[in-house]
Amino acid sequence: MKKKVIRIQDISQIDTGKISVYDLNNRYIDPMGNMYGLKYDRISHRVEIVKLQRIHTSEIHSYKRKIFENKSHAAEQDETEDEYSTSVSDINTENDKLFFEPDVFIDSVINDSDTHRERIKGIIMNIDESGVFPKENKSESLEIEGILRNLDIEGIQQLDKLESYHRELTSFPRSLTYYQAKIGKDGRELLDHLSNNKERTMRFIFLYEMEETISRVYKNLRKHLLTLEELLKKKNIDEIAGVTKHAKQSFTDAVTSMTNTIDDVDSTLTRTNLLKEYALNKSNY
């Protein structure tokens, strides 16, 4: 059955008495972003309205990872849970597209960049304190040093630059011609379309440049985090002789923080695609 997403002002607008079997896949969204679905009760022979739980992309990644890691689950149970999480992911994607607010998203990225920057600093510090990459092992030592250096340069420092660029665009932008020269082929046609209106042109430039910058910074950050994840997976802290309790906890904290940050980065990049779609849509100016 085809699924439709229908905007409503209030849940009372859903008249279950007029619902047919072809409507059971419909989704209803109110102005607060709450999403509702329909369920047929076979005992009462009535259609019921159910509120659908909203799960962010980062939570879905963690949920799927837990399912995969929990070996005690039966195969059919794993299948059911995975299908459920995928279904909720699809619903949330529809919801995000309908209610995507670019300025809210951009502000959240700028606010979260502080958290991500501090996390990366913590990851670097915890790996150093864990001592799992001793200087005596030159090969591994050089490898981890390179990864941590990249996390500093393309993680911490680039997140700083992202905040500075956002501050520039919102508080003291340069000349229009400066930004016009930076627009790529994908935005050139729209830029020409808006050329007679400075305010709309600057609005487009702001959205376009923020999408480009967020995408570049977080893709690079993701690349280095995944490289680190691959290296840390090779280490079993319980098998390393002479490891102190503090060192073990530092390593565990580094892995946990790294995993959470990767999930956050994936979520940010998913929503950055929505920002790009919005920025390149003429009807938004």
Side-chain angles (χ1 to χ4, degrees):
M1 289 182 287
K2 187 175 180 182
K3 178 165 58 184
K4 292 191 296 185
V5 179
I6 302 168
R7 291 179 184 243
I8 57 172
Q9 290 301 313
D10 186 79
I11 192 174
S12 61
Q13 288 184 271
I14 307 174
D15 187 350
T16 56
K18 296 181 179 179
I19 297 294
S20 74
V21 67
Y22 300 104
D23 299 318
L24 291 178
N25 265 15
N26 289 351
R27 303 290 182 243
Y28 301 86
I29 305 177
D30 68 17
M32 299 301 293
N34 297 313
M35 181 172 276
Y36 303 91
L38 303 170
K39 182 180 74 171
Y40 181 71
D41 189 318
R42 298 186 182 187
I43 298 175
S44 65
H45 301 291
R46 292 182 180 179
V47 174
E48 298 177 352
I49 301 170
V50 292
K51 186 174 181 180
L52 300 173
Q53 184 180 5
R54 183 171 174 77
I55 302 176
H56 290 293
T57 306
S58 60
E59 293 177 280
I60 292 168
H61 291 158
S62 299
Y63 182 66
K64 286 184 176 180
R65 191 171 294 187
K66 286 177 183 176
I67 293 172
F68 178 76
E69 290 172 353
N70 192 344
K71 303 297 184 181
S72 64
H73 281 191
E76 62 270 17
Q77 187 176 352
D78 287 341
E79 235 173 76
T80 303
E81 289 175 331
D82 193 55
E83 286 173 5
Y84 170 76
S85 61
T86 302
S87 173
V88 175
S89 177
D90 292 341
I91 292 167
N92 286 336
T93 300
E94 293 168 356
N95 201 353
D96 284 344
K97 285 184 178 181
L98 283 171
F99 290 93
F100 181 73
E101 296 181 24
D103 296 285
V104 173
F105 169 64
I106 292 169
D107 286 345
S108 71
V109 171
I110 298 303
N111 291 333
D112 289 345
S113 65
D114 283 336
T115 301
H116 296 148
R117 188 168 53 245
E118 291 307 310
R119 272 197 203 161
I120 296 167
K121 289 179 182 178
I123 291 169
I124 293 172
M125 180 189 71
N126 281 322
I127 289 175
D128 283 339
E129 291 185 357
S130 73
V132 297
F133 297 99
K135 299 289 183 183
E136 293 75 19
N137 188 333
K138 290 187 178 180
S139 176
E140 280 194 350
S141 178
L142 288 173
E143 186 176 6
I144 192 64
E145 283 177 11
I147 294 171
L148 298 184
R149 183 169 57 251
N150 287 332
L151 279 175
D152 179 24
I153 296 171
E154 299 205 46
I156 296 171
Q157 294 181 33
Q158 287 301 314
L159 287 169
D160 278 335
K161 290 181 179 179
L162 170 61
E163 288 187 34
S164 297
Y165 196 36
H166 176 261
R167 192 160 50 247
E168 173 191 314
L169 288 167
T170 54
S171 302
F172 45 92
R174 305 191 197 194
S175 68
L176 195 59
T177 53
Y178 171 80
Y179 296 112
Q180 286 174 326
K182 297 182 68 178
I183 302 298
K185 290 182 180 179
D186 57 345
R188 183 62 57 185
E189 182 182 343
L190 182 51
L191 186 64
D192 292 340
H193 174 73
L194 301 171
S195 60
N196 293 328
N197 188 307
K198 183 178 179 181
E199 184 178 351
R200 289 195 297 166
T201 300
M202 282 305 299
R203 173 64 175 166
F204 164 67
I205 286 172
F206 169 70
L207 295 176
Y208 182 91
E209 284 296 294
M210 288 310 302
E211 185 280 321
E212 285 278 304
T213 308
I214 293 169
S215 181
R216 174 178 53 78
V217 170
Y218 276 86
K219 281 179 179 177
N220 282 334
L221 178 55
R222 184 178 189 274
K223 178 180 68 176
H224 297 304
L225 284 170
L226 290 178
T227 302
L228 176 62
E229 182 181 47
E230 186 178 348
L231 183 60
L232 295 187
K233 279 182 177 178
K234 297 176 183 178
K235 291 288 183 181
N236 187 335
I237 192 72
D238 295 320
E239 294 180 356
I240 300 176
V243 176
T244 65
K245 185 177 180 180
H246 173 72
K248 185 175 181 178
Q249 187 61 54
S250 295
F251 182 80
T252 301
D253 289 346
V255 171
T256 300
S257 186
M258 175 193 65
T259 301
N260 291 337
T261 306
I262 290 172
D263 287 340
D264 281 357
V265 169
D266 286 344
S267 178
T268 299
L269 289 172
T270 297
R271 290 177 63 74
T272 302
N273 291 331
L274 296 179
L275 177 59
K276 185 170 187 175
E277 288 181 24
Y278 188 100
L280 295 175
N281 188 339
K282 289 182 182 180
S283 63
N284 290 325
Y285 302 96

